[in-house]
Amino acid sequence: MRRRFSIRAKLTLGSLLPLFVAFVFCGLTGLYLINTKIASQAQEKVRTDLNAAREVYQNELSHVNELVDLTAGNPFAAAAVETGDRRSLAALLSSLQSRKHLDILTVVDRNGRVLYRAHNPAASGDVIASNGFVRSALQGIPINGTTTLTHNELAAERKELAKQAAINVVPTPRSRQGQADVERSGMVLAAAAPVLDASGRPIGALYGAILLNNNNTLVDRIKQIVYEGVQFNGKDVGTATIFLGDTRIATNVPAAGGTRAIGTRLSAEVYNRVIQEGKKWVDRAFVVNDWYITAYEPIHDSRGEAVGALYVGMLEKPYAALKKKVNVIFGIVILASSLLGIAVSGGIGAHLSRPIRDLEKLARRVAVGERDLRIEVKTADEMEDLADEFNEMTGALARHEEEINSLNRTLEQKVRERTAELEEKNLLLLQTQAELVRAEKLADLGIMAAGVAHEINTPLTIIRGNAEVLEMFITPGHPNREEIDIISRQTERMAKIVSNLLLFARQKKLHQGRVAIHALLNDIVSQIGFQATLADIRIVRNYSPDLDTISGDSDQLRQVFTNLILNAVQAMEGSGTLTLATRILPDEAGYSIEVADTGSGIGPDQREKIFTPFFTTKATGSGLGLSVSYGIIKDHGGDISVESSPETGTTFRVVLPGKTADIPPHPNGTA
Ligand code: ADP
């Protein structure tokens, strides 16, 4: 399965990646710049420190020079040298000594013979004209500078001085090989000035010097002035050293045990550059047992030869710690910025991808069936266009679905209508079929009934004739008269049945004419009174005023309505309402004549049978009334139907064909 990444994640990544690359690039550049800047700044500081150290060194030399110069120029000095007065010289030089301690302070006459040594008054009379400084002064030229003195020269001045100068050389890694184990020469800051007579001619010279071997006053002063005693982890940060050749003769660089590293030596490469080539060394260097940021420069003697070196240096550790601290701070800043960047990018990503998520949710809802959903996006970009298109799409979908639904509904409606029509037609077909069957049955019955009636009619006529004859001979009151009357009534009844049978068989032809239907109905009601009592029966006539005559066989229609009215009156058993109603049916569908009663009603099981011949529920009924009526109405091209319930009674409706145009205008406008 392919891995999925959300748009939000991609947007965040997309905006973070360039940011990250920029951060890494800026970070590395920043770190490089900071590191190199710190290193170069430190190096630059040490370079200027060396200048300051040189100033201190030169100051010291100037001081020596000044004292020697001033003392040599003193007129008492000239007089004392002139006369060789050692006591005066001693007084003069001791006052000088009290102002500044010099390791060598010697007065010579014009031949270079020592008149007085301030530190060694006992030793005098020797000639030191070989000393370059003394020689120059005796020639009238004052001189000062750094120079070296041999062991013997030092010992000649004072034994302690030679002893102070002697330094045991400590084997040092990376230093030059093949050097003496003990350095016996001494490096001095020296000055010599001529002592002049009144005419300005040199009559002697004053020679003074400070021995630098094992004399740490100067290097400590340099350290104090330049580095002001700054410490790191309990260790002095700044250091200064004076080298004679490549040997440390005065220093405050600590050795392993914490003592001064006097006797240790320069590395060969620094020696070559500074002492051999006479150039500066400004770089980091491993000094004794630690890394320092250093600066060295050669110390030249009065002849211009590099006899030693002046060094200042700072421990590298504080700068390394500073670098580390700056790097850590820088790293934290970058990390914090990155986290902030992630948070901001994440926020922006979430904000930008929200409409996409909303669209996705909406699309899911559309997929499960919701319609006409809308989304509001106001980002003024492609997302807004997409949302508008989506809204357009869901709207169109809803419209199309509604159209389809409406078509479906129409289709269903049509199917229902067609089905109903079909059912109606089917019902009609069934009814027609049933009617056909009934008609056929009735036709057969009719044929049979007609045959029977004909056969019975002849003997019946004979019986009736003979009964009438008997009635004539057997007068009322005769004992057999009652039987004769019974024969007569029964034959009468039989004749009626035969007549009904003949009617049923429709032997009679239709004599079409105009029938005043309302008058006919009224006449039947008045005639009925002879057969049944109407005393408690209310008769209601709802005749249509527009209906006057209808076309049909007057006698046969009388037969029909007589049957219906008589049945109605009988069903009410003496009391109720008989309603007679006529109506012109709309659309020239003919006329309807209704006979309604409030009688006992017809049960559902009987409703099917009442038009069947010989069906009767009455003791003396023939069961032919309705079947005969049915036949007559059918002959007229009409229809007869019934509605009945035990509560409301029964209504028979006869529908006969006929057009309004058939109806001639009634003279009174009423029936
Ligand atoms: P008959 O009247 O001789 O019985 P018909 O054919 O006239 O024969 O009627 C058949 C049967 O229909 C009746 O016996 C009666 O049960 C029923 N019938 C006819 N008309 C009504 C009516 N108005 N109310 C109740 N029943 C009726």
Side-chain angles (χ1 to χ4, degrees), residues 500 563-572 595-597 599-603 606 609-629 642 644 649-652:
N500 268 338
N563 281 337
L564 295 182
I565 290 169
L566 193 61
N567 278 347
V569 170
Q570 286 173 346
M572 288 188 284
V595 177
D597 63 60
S600 54
I602 306 167
Q606 292 178 359
K609 300 174 189 163
I610 54 172
F611 292 103
T612 312
F614 308 114
F615 173 78
T616 181
T617 56
K618 299 169 190 167
T620 56
S622 66
L624 283 169
L626 285 180
S627 58
V628 166
S629 301
V642 64
S644 182
T650 309
T651 302
F652 279 91

Side-chain angles (χ1 to χ4, degrees), residues 122 196 456 606:
L196 304 172
I456 290 174
Q606 292 178 359

Side-chain angles (χ1 to χ4, degrees), residues 242-259:
I242 294 169
F243 290 90
L244 171 58
D246 60 357
T247 307
R248 281 185 180 81
I249 56 167
T251 185
N252 38 44
V253 172
T259 54

